[in-house]
Amino acid sequence: MSAEKKLSGLVAEIVSNREIILNKGSKDGVREGMYFNVLDPSSVGIKDPVTGEDLGGIKRIKITVVAVEVAERITLAQTFRTRSVNVGGHFGGMDAIDMLRPPKFVERVETLRLDPKGPKPLGPSESVVVKGDPFELGDESDADASRSVTVWE
């Protein structure tokens, strides 16, 4: 495994619903355009059902971000995925005017789910990102979709 693949750290600060500060920077090998997976800090341990042997675990990815500004010791990273959302008319609407209006799709950028009262259970398309969450280097495939990753220990 290359030194770059071992690049990991913690979320140092939440800047906005799209931006976070990572506690690693250029002195650690971070470059603009790198992808980072923000992880659920608790992994799920897997034991062999026959022997009881620890087989390792999986870590859940909360969200993937991209480095947009890199300083010596910190990195500003932000969400980047977009999805099409219908903000126009639709069939089955409550009033006739809405039903007749054609659909209007706009691209919306994915945002972090922020909750000042504490984390909620992770849903398939949302996450709660908090200061102190771990992160690790991702790659271009992470730009497409988050997934659980197997961690062999």
Side-chain angles (χ1 to χ4, degrees):
M1 183 177 283
S2 70
E4 189 176 86
K5 266 307 205 187
K6 295 179 184 176
L7 183 56
S8 62
L10 299 174
V11 172
E13 195 64 60
I14 307 292
V15 177
S16 71
N17 69 348
R18 289 202 51 222
E19 299 174 315
I20 58 176
I21 301 289
L22 307 177
N23 71 344
K24 300 291 180 181
S26 60
K27 78 175 189 83
D28 304 295
V30 178
R31 296 179 313 279
E32 284 185 21
M34 286 180 147
Y35 295 100
F36 293 95
N37 298 318
V38 178
L39 306 171
D40 182 350
S42 58
S43 64
V44 178
I46 309 295
K47 295 202 180 286
D48 186 291
V50 176
T51 66
E53 176 186 5
D54 183 4
L55 300 175
I58 59 170
K59 293 181 183 176
R60 290 185 55 184
I61 297 172
K62 290 183 172 186
I63 198 162
T64 301
V65 294
V66 64
V68 294
E69 290 183 35
V70 181
E72 184 178 352
R73 298 182 57 203
I74 60 173
T75 296
L76 175 67
Q78 69 182 19
T79 62
F80 58 90
R81 290 188 188 114
T82 60
R83 62 186 172 99
S84 292
V85 177
N86 181 6
V87 296
H90 58 280
F91 296 105
M94 296 305 284
D95 62 34
I97 294 173
D98 194 34
M99 287 176 52
L100 297 174
R101 202 174 329 145
K104 178 183 176 189
F105 290 93
V106 297
E107 292 294 311
R108 295 259 167 93
V109 179
E110 179 180 38
T111 60
L112 304 169
R113 181 170 173 244
L114 304 175
D115 185 351
K117 296 179 180 141
K120 304 278 187 218
L122 292 176
S125 64
E126 62 183 14
S127 65
V128 176
V129 175
V130 296
K131 192 173 175 178
D133 273 349
F135 70 84
E136 64 185 16
L137 183 64
D139 58 36
E140 288 187 33
S141 68
D142 297 318
D144 295 330
S146 290
R147 69 218 181 282
S148 293
V149 292
T150 304
V151 180
W152 305 106
E153 297 174 353

